[in-house]
Amino acid sequence: MTTAGYQNLLHEEPEPGIHLLTMNRPKALNALNSATLAELACAITGLAADASARAVLITGAGAKAFVAGADIGEMQTLTPEAARTFSSKATRLFLELEALPMPVLALVNGYALGGGCELALACDWIVAADNAVFGQPEVGLGIPPGFGGSQRLPRRIAPGKALELLVTGRQVKADEAVAIGLANEVVAADALRARGIELALLIASKGPVAVRLVKEAWRRGQSLDLAQACAIESDLFALAFATADQSEGMRAFLEKRAPRFIGG
Ligand code: DAK
């Protein structure tokens, strides 16, 4: 079911609570221009306010690319001031994407270069199609990454490996992406959407509040030392005990039946 119509973005809900966003400029390999970023911002704002949303999947239209980067044609003539505005808008958008309360998975079909790799890195984890190619080629264009790549890549994979990829612009195929911890798994390209939906349904079968609390603890804890991070986990753990889902989940276990979660 298509739930919203944009020019450069498709927003579908293939299963209740499962949202699939498809970057949709296949003729330009889904390169991110300002119009596309504005539509993505709109979709993310909507998802942030949607209590029924259980998981978000992001992919690219066509067989060749997830997103081949920021739109080079549009970027070419930016003044330094306009480049800062462009970069800070996208930076805010990617932070909002990361802050979505439900898990967000990137389904990377083909090229994820520059801003495309950065978009995938702003998702919670990456499922790669066997034709996926990741890279930060910006240095070859005479610029550093502008959408958080120099910060998120070393937080996702080993920092030295990240710097290697950032300063050489070397591209990494799906199997290497898994080996270095950039992607979680590789699947056949024609199975990517189904695998994404399968993972999203698995998430959706769990306690919705618990899933959100886990993501919040995981996300907030990453920038803290272990003691502070565990204190956040304790607070969030306690919150779960104010929900009907906690009673239901434990009662269902003891009664040897499947839980019926209500999301509260
Ligand atoms: N932007 C605009 N158009 C693109 C594009 C891109 N990033 N990537 C591909 N296209 C277009 C091509 O121009 C071509 O258009 P037509 O000629 O058909 O009109 C069409 O998509 C098909 O591409 P190719 O003909 O090149 O297809 P190939 O299979 O031969 O090659 C490729 C595929 C992905 C290897 C190649 O297209 C390629 O190298 N693309 C560029 C990849 C790249 O360098 N991406 C990184 C872009 S830089 C910042 C903010 C953000 C960023 C930086 C700074 N601040 C505000 C400071 C982010 C930067 C980037 O993402």
Side-chain angles (χ1 to χ4, degrees):
M1 176 179 70
T2 299
T3 56
Y6 300 102
Q7 294 285 313
N8 302 323
L9 186 69
L10 300 173
H11 183 168
E12 301 164 72
E13 193 174 347
E15 297 285 343
I18 310 299
H19 292 260
L20 175 63
L21 302 180
T22 303
M23 311 313 295
N24 188 31
R25 294 182 72 214
K27 285 189 182 149
L29 303 188
N30 307 317
L32 299 172
N33 60 8
S34 353
T36 308
L37 290 171
E39 291 180 2
L40 184 59
C42 194
I44 289 170
T45 302
L47 288 167
D50 182 351
S52 70
R54 297 279 178 264
V56 177
L57 306 168
I58 300 185
T59 195
K64 210 165 154 184
F66 173 70
V67 167
D71 191 301
I72 297 172
E74 194 181 81
M75 268 194 309
Q76 185 194 12
T77 54
L78 290 180
T79 62
E81 291 76 18
R84 177 173 289 279
T85 306
F86 184 54
S87 181
S88 51
K89 262 194 198 165
T91 297
R92 207 166 42 244
L93 168 62
F94 284 16
L95 288 169
E96 283 164 9
L97 172 60
E98 259 174 351
L100 280 176
M102 70 295 290
V104 180
L105 279 60
L107 306 181
V108 174
N109 53 316
Y111 291 108
L113 300 177
C117 190
E118 290 165 303
L119 175 62
L121 285 167
C123 297
D124 298 324
W125 83 81
I126 295 170
V127 180
D130 52 12
N131 67 337
V133 179
F134 299 86
Q136 298 288 163
E138 287 90 338
V139 285
L141 295 168
I143 55 171
F147 294 164
S150 65
Q151 304 309 310
R152 285 195 182 87
L153 192 58
R155 284 167 167 80
R156 182 67 62 94
I157 67 173
K161 177 60 76 179
L163 187 61
E164 175 204 323
L165 298 181
L166 289 162
V167 300
T168 62
R170 182 169 75 78
Q171 296 181 3
V172 164
K173 293 187 176 163
D175 284 339
E176 185 179 356
V178 171
I180 63 176
L182 177 54
N184 281 23
E185 62 181 295
V186 186
V187 299
D190 62 4
L192 185 63
R193 176 186 164 111
R195 177 60 180 153
I197 292 173
E198 180 184 36
L199 286 166
L201 286 172
L202 180 60
I203 293 165
S205 71
K206 307 299 178 189
V209 177
V211 167
R212 288 179 178 225
L213 293 174
V214 170
K215 177 168 173 181
E216 186 178 345
W218 171 80
R219 200 172 68 79
R220 288 171 58 195
Q222 287 185 39
S223 58
L224 301 174
D225 69 36
L226 189 60
Q228 289 174 310
C230 287
I232 286 179
E233 187 191 72
S234 293
D235 288 346
L236 296 175
F237 180 75
L239 279 182
F241 283 75
T243 67
D245 281 353
Q246 173 269 325
S247 314
E248 165 62 10
M250 295 189 175
R251 195 179 320 113
F253 173 80
L254 295 172
E255 292 172 1
K256 302 188 188 308
R257 61 173 174 81
R260 289 182 292 270
F261 293 120
I262 59 165

